[in-house]
PDB file of all heavy atoms in Angstrom:
ATOM      1  N   GLY A  62      92.652 -25.786 -25.522  1.00 93.00           N
ATOM      2  CA  GLY A  62      93.458 -25.519 -24.335  1.00 93.00           C
ATOM      3  C   GLY A  62      94.074 -24.137 -24.309  1.00 93.00           C
ATOM      4  O   GLY A  62      94.586 -23.701 -23.290  1.00 93.00           O
ATOM      5  N   TYR A  75      93.711 -12.289 -29.051  1.00 97.00           N
ATOM      6  CA  TYR A  75      93.046 -12.936 -27.916  1.00 97.00           C
ATOM      7  C   TYR A  75      91.783 -12.157 -27.563  1.00 97.00           C
ATOM      8  O   TYR A  75      91.868 -11.019 -27.116  1.00 97.00           O
ATOM      9  CB  TYR A  75      93.983 -13.016 -26.708  1.00 97.00           C
ATOM     10  CG  TYR A  75      95.014 -14.101 -26.850  1.00 97.00           C
ATOM     11  CD1 TYR A  75      96.215 -13.879 -27.522  1.00 97.00           C
ATOM     12  CD2 TYR A  75      94.777 -15.358 -26.328  1.00 97.00           C
ATOM     13  CE1 TYR A  75      97.146 -14.888 -27.669  1.00 97.00           C
ATOM     14  CE2 TYR A  75      95.710 -16.382 -26.460  1.00 97.00           C
ATOM     15  CZ  TYR A  75      96.881 -16.135 -27.136  1.00 97.00           C
ATOM     16  OH  TYR A  75      97.797 -17.148 -27.278  1.00 97.00           O
ATOM     17  N   SER A  83      93.874   3.596 -28.464  1.00 93.00           N
ATOM     18  CA  SER A  83      93.984   5.008 -28.116  1.00 93.00           C
ATOM     19  C   SER A  83      93.703   5.895 -29.322  1.00 93.00           C
ATOM     20  O   SER A  83      93.522   7.099 -29.181  1.00 93.00           O
ATOM     21  CB  SER A  83      95.382   5.294 -27.561  1.00 93.00           C
ATOM     22  OG  SER A  83      96.356   4.729 -28.432  1.00 93.00           O
ATOM     23  N   ARG A  91      89.098   0.248 -21.483  1.00 97.00           N
ATOM     24  CA  ARG A  91      89.257   0.824 -20.147  1.00 97.00           C
ATOM     25  C   ARG A  91      90.742   1.046 -19.856  1.00 97.00           C
ATOM     26  O   ARG A  91      91.596   0.312 -20.369  1.00 97.00           O
ATOM     27  CB  ARG A  91      88.678  -0.120 -19.088  1.00 97.00           C
ATOM     28  CG  ARG A  91      87.196  -0.312 -19.206  1.00 97.00           C
ATOM     29  CD  ARG A  91      86.686  -1.088 -18.020  1.00 97.00           C
ATOM     30  NE  ARG A  91      86.902  -0.352 -16.770  1.00 97.00           N
ATOM     31  CZ  ARG A  91      86.866  -0.897 -15.568  1.00 97.00           C
ATOM     32  NH1 ARG A  91      86.658  -2.187 -15.438  1.00 97.00           N
ATOM     33  NH2 ARG A  91      87.047  -0.162 -14.488  1.00 97.00           N
ATOM     34  N   SER A 102      99.635  -8.577 -14.760  1.00 94.00           N
ATOM     35  CA  SER A 102      98.237  -8.227 -14.574  1.00 94.00           C
ATOM     36  C   SER A 102      98.091  -7.557 -13.219  1.00 94.00           C
ATOM     37  O   SER A 102      98.888  -7.793 -12.315  1.00 94.00           O
ATOM     38  CB  SER A 102      97.344  -9.472 -14.629  1.00 94.00           C
ATOM     39  OG  SER A 102      97.762 -10.426 -13.659  1.00 94.00           O
ATOM     40  N   SER A 105      95.430  -0.640 -10.147  1.00 96.00           N
ATOM     41  CA  SER A 105      96.242   0.454  -9.622  1.00 96.00           C
ATOM     42  C   SER A 105      96.471   0.282  -8.131  1.00 96.00           C
ATOM     43  O   SER A 105      97.446   0.784  -7.589  1.00 96.00           O
ATOM     44  CB  SER A 105      95.537   1.785  -9.863  1.00 96.00           C
ATOM     45  OG  SER A 105      94.419   1.907  -8.983  1.00 96.00           O
ATOM     46  N   LYS A 107      95.010   1.811  -5.922  1.00 96.00           N
ATOM     47  CA  LYS A 107      94.843   3.094  -5.238  1.00 96.00           C
ATOM     48  C   LYS A 107      93.557   3.030  -4.424  1.00 96.00           C
ATOM     49  O   LYS A 107      92.515   2.589  -4.920  1.00 96.00           O
ATOM     50  CB  LYS A 107      94.740   4.231  -6.252  1.00 96.00           C
ATOM     51  CG  LYS A 107      95.964   4.376  -7.144  1.00 96.00           C
ATOM     52  CD  LYS A 107      97.105   5.054  -6.437  1.00 96.00           C
ATOM     53  CE  LYS A 107      98.274   5.299  -7.387  1.00 96.00           C
ATOM     54  NZ  LYS A 107      99.572   5.012  -6.761  1.00 96.00           N
ATOM     55  N   GLY A 108      93.630   3.493  -3.197  1.00 95.00           N
ATOM     56  CA  GLY A 108      92.449   3.529  -2.347  1.00 95.00           C
ATOM     57  C   GLY A 108      91.440   4.553  -2.846  1.00 95.00           C
ATOM     58  O   GLY A 108      91.793   5.460  -3.611  1.00 95.00           O
ATOM     59  N   ASN A 111      92.366   8.206  -2.306  1.00 95.00           N
ATOM     60  CA  ASN A 111      93.746   8.582  -2.619  1.00 95.00           C
ATOM     61  C   ASN A 111      93.770   9.738  -3.632  1.00 95.00           C
ATOM     62  O   ASN A 111      93.197   9.631  -4.714  1.00 95.00           O
ATOM     63  CB  ASN A 111      94.466   7.352  -3.198  1.00 95.00           C
ATOM     64  CG  ASN A 111      95.951   7.586  -3.359  1.00 95.00           C
ATOM     65  OD1 ASN A 111      96.389   8.708  -3.590  1.00 95.00           O
ATOM     66  ND2 ASN A 111      96.719   6.515  -3.224  1.00 95.00           N
ATOM     67  N   ALA A 144      90.754   2.437 -13.799  1.00 97.00           N
ATOM     68  CA  ALA A 144      91.533   1.268 -14.217  1.00 97.00           C
ATOM     69  C   ALA A 144      90.848  -0.007 -13.746  1.00 97.00           C
ATOM     70  O   ALA A 144      90.323  -0.071 -12.641  1.00 97.00           O
ATOM     71  CB  ALA A 144      92.942   1.347 -13.638  1.00 97.00           C
ATOM     72  N   ASP A 150      90.949  -5.905 -18.750  1.00 97.00           N
ATOM     73  CA  ASP A 150      89.501  -6.030 -18.920  1.00 97.00           C
ATOM     74  C   ASP A 150      89.124  -5.774 -20.384  1.00 97.00           C
ATOM     75  O   ASP A 150      89.318  -4.677 -20.884  1.00 97.00           O
ATOM     76  CB  ASP A 150      88.803  -5.015 -18.001  1.00 97.00           C
ATOM     77  CG  ASP A 150      87.296  -5.193 -17.982  1.00 97.00           C
ATOM     78  OD1 ASP A 150      86.775  -5.945 -18.820  1.00 97.00           O
ATOM     79  OD2 ASP A 150      86.654  -4.563 -17.124  1.00 97.00           O
ATOM     80  N   GLY A 193      73.701 -10.975 -14.084  1.00 94.00           N
ATOM     81  CA  GLY A 193      74.908 -10.208 -14.373  1.00 94.00           C
ATOM     82  C   GLY A 193      74.684  -9.062 -15.331  1.00 94.00           C
ATOM     83  O   GLY A 193      73.587  -8.866 -15.852  1.00 94.00           O
TER      84      GLY A 193
ATOM     85  N   THR B  17      69.607  -7.515 -12.619  1.00 92.00           N
ATOM     86  CA  THR B  17      70.214  -8.797 -13.000  1.00 92.00           C
ATOM     87  C   THR B  17      71.480  -9.094 -12.206  1.00 92.00           C
ATOM     88  O   THR B  17      71.840 -10.250 -12.018  1.00 92.00           O
ATOM     89  CB  THR B  17      70.563  -8.821 -14.495  1.00 92.00           C
ATOM     90  OG1 THR B  17      71.372  -7.678 -14.790  1.00 92.00           O
ATOM     91  CG2 THR B  17      69.332  -8.799 -15.362  1.00 92.00           C
ATOM     92  N   GLU B 138     102.775 -14.921 -13.419  1.00 92.00           N
ATOM     93  CA  GLU B 138     103.222 -14.794 -14.809  1.00 92.00           C
ATOM     94  C   GLU B 138     104.736 -14.849 -14.919  1.00 92.00           C
ATOM     95  O   GLU B 138     105.282 -15.457 -15.847  1.00 92.00           O
ATOM     96  CB  GLU B 138     102.733 -13.477 -15.427  1.00 92.00           C
ATOM     97  CG  GLU B 138     101.223 -13.389 -15.609  1.00 92.00           C
ATOM     98  CD  GLU B 138     100.532 -12.683 -14.457  1.00 92.00           C
ATOM     99  OE1 GLU B 138     101.042 -12.767 -13.315  1.00 92.00           O
ATOM    100  OE2 GLU B 138      99.486 -12.056 -14.681  1.00 92.00           O
ATOM    101  N   GLN B 220      94.401 -24.238 -20.608  1.00 97.00           N
ATOM    102  CA  GLN B 220      95.087 -25.357 -19.953  1.00 97.00           C
ATOM    103  C   GLN B 220      96.030 -25.887 -21.016  1.00 97.00           C
ATOM    104  O   GLN B 220      95.660 -26.706 -21.848  1.00 97.00           O
ATOM    105  CB  GLN B 220      94.090 -26.428 -19.493  1.00 97.00           C
ATOM    106  CG  GLN B 220      94.711 -27.697 -18.974  1.00 97.00           C
ATOM    107  CD  GLN B 220      95.122 -27.613 -17.493  1.00 97.00           C
ATOM    108  OE1 GLN B 220      94.854 -26.622 -16.822  1.00 97.00           O
ATOM    109  NE2 GLN B 220      95.777 -28.634 -16.998  1.00 97.00           N
ATOM    110  N   ASP B 226     102.784 -16.464 -25.430  1.00 95.00           N
ATOM    111  CA  ASP B 226     102.551 -16.123 -26.834  1.00 95.00           C
ATOM    112  C   ASP B 226     102.908 -14.654 -27.017  1.00 95.00           C
ATOM    113  O   ASP B 226     102.851 -13.864 -26.080  1.00 95.00           O
ATOM    114  CB  ASP B 226     101.072 -16.357 -27.178  1.00 95.00           C
ATOM    115  CG  ASP B 226     100.864 -16.484 -28.675  1.00 95.00           C
ATOM    116  OD1 ASP B 226     101.867 -16.439 -29.423  1.00 95.00           O
ATOM    117  OD2 ASP B 226      99.705 -16.626 -29.092  1.00 95.00           O
ATOM    118  N   GLN B 232      96.109  -2.289 -33.048  1.00 94.00           N
ATOM    119  CA  GLN B 232      96.718  -0.975 -33.225  1.00 94.00           C
ATOM    120  C   GLN B 232      98.209  -1.061 -33.494  1.00 94.00           C
ATOM    121  O   GLN B 232      98.866  -0.050 -33.718  1.00 94.00           O
ATOM    122  CB  GLN B 232      96.502  -0.135 -31.961  1.00 94.00           C
ATOM    123  CG  GLN B 232      95.544   0.995 -32.184  1.00 94.00           C
ATOM    124  CD  GLN B 232      95.472   1.959 -31.014  1.00 94.00           C
ATOM    125  OE1 GLN B 232      94.418   2.429 -30.719  1.00 94.00           O
ATOM    126  NE2 GLN B 232      96.567   2.269 -30.348  1.00 94.00           N
ATOM    127  N   GLU B 346      86.835   1.354 -10.128  1.00 97.00           N
ATOM    128  CA  GLU B 346      88.298   1.257 -10.011  1.00 97.00           C
ATOM    129  C   GLU B 346      88.639  -0.121  -9.433  1.00 97.00           C
ATOM    130  O   GLU B 346      88.133  -0.506  -8.371  1.00 97.00           O
ATOM    131  CB  GLU B 346      88.831   2.365  -9.103  1.00 97.00           C
ATOM    132  CG  GLU B 346      90.349   2.346  -8.929  1.00 97.00           C
ATOM    133  CD  GLU B 346      91.116   2.819 -10.172  1.00 97.00           C
ATOM    134  OE1 GLU B 346      90.550   3.583 -10.968  1.00 97.00           O
ATOM    135  OE2 GLU B 346      92.277   2.403 -10.344  1.00 97.00           O
ATOM    136  N   GLY B 347      89.494  -0.857 -10.154  1.00 96.00           N
ATOM    137  CA  GLY B 347      89.895  -2.187  -9.667  1.00 96.00           C
ATOM    138  C   GLY B 347      88.865  -3.268  -9.931  1.00 96.00           C
ATOM    139  O   GLY B 347      89.001  -4.379  -9.435  1.00 96.00           O
ATOM    140  N   LYS B 348      87.823  -2.958 -10.704  1.00 97.00           N
ATOM    141  CA  LYS B 348      86.809  -3.977 -10.993  1.00 97.00           C
ATOM    142  C   LYS B 348      86.728  -4.262 -12.483  1.00 97.00           C
ATOM    143  O   LYS B 348      87.229  -3.496 -13.304  1.00 97.00           O
ATOM    144  CB  LYS B 348      85.441  -3.509 -10.496  1.00 97.00           C
ATOM    145  CG  LYS B 348      85.345  -3.474  -8.993  1.00 97.00           C
ATOM    146  CD  LYS B 348      83.902  -3.344  -8.547  1.00 97.00           C
ATOM    147  CE  LYS B 348      83.833  -3.244  -7.039  1.00 97.00           C
ATOM    148  NZ  LYS B 348      84.622  -2.118  -6.502  1.00 97.00           N
ATOM    149  N   VAL B 350      84.288  -5.160 -15.887  1.00 97.00           N
ATOM    150  CA  VAL B 350      82.943  -4.876 -16.391  1.00 97.00           C
ATOM    151  C   VAL B 350      82.091  -6.142 -16.475  1.00 97.00           C
ATOM    152  O   VAL B 350      80.913  -6.134 -16.145  1.00 97.00           O
ATOM    153  CB  VAL B 350      83.033  -4.184 -17.773  1.00 97.00           C
ATOM    154  CG1 VAL B 350      81.675  -4.155 -18.462  1.00 97.00           C
ATOM    155  CG2 VAL B 350      83.568  -2.769 -17.619  1.00 97.00           C
ATOM    156  N   SER B 378      91.143  -1.079  -3.620  1.00 96.00           N
ATOM    157  CA  SER B 378      90.385   0.036  -4.197  1.00 96.00           C
ATOM    158  C   SER B 378      88.904   0.000  -3.824  1.00 96.00           C
ATOM    159  O   SER B 378      88.137   0.809  -4.329  1.00 96.00           O
ATOM    160  CB  SER B 378      90.521   0.034  -5.727  1.00 96.00           C
ATOM    161  OG  SER B 378      91.877   0.222  -6.096  1.00 96.00           O
ATOM    162  N   ASN B 474      99.451   3.912  -0.646  1.00 93.00           N
ATOM    163  CA  ASN B 474      98.410   4.894  -0.359  1.00 93.00           C
ATOM    164  C   ASN B 474      98.782   5.670   0.895  1.00 93.00           C
ATOM    165  O   ASN B 474      99.357   5.111   1.823  1.00 93.00           O
ATOM    166  CB  ASN B 474      97.065   4.187  -0.124  1.00 93.00           C
ATOM    167  CG  ASN B 474      96.474   3.666  -1.423  1.00 93.00           C
ATOM    168  OD1 ASN B 474      95.913   4.401  -2.206  1.00 93.00           O
ATOM    169  ND2 ASN B 474      96.639   2.358  -1.647  1.00 93.00           N
TER     170      ASN B 474
END
Side-chain angles (χ1 to χ4, degrees):
Chain A
Y75 284 86
S83 48
R91 295 188 63 197
S102 57
S105 73
K107 300 282 185 222
N111 189 329
D150 187 349
Chain B
T17 54
E138 293 95 330
Q220 172 84 5
D226 200 3
Q232 250 189 218
E346 180 73 25
K348 290 194 183 57
V350 167
S378 298
N474 286 282

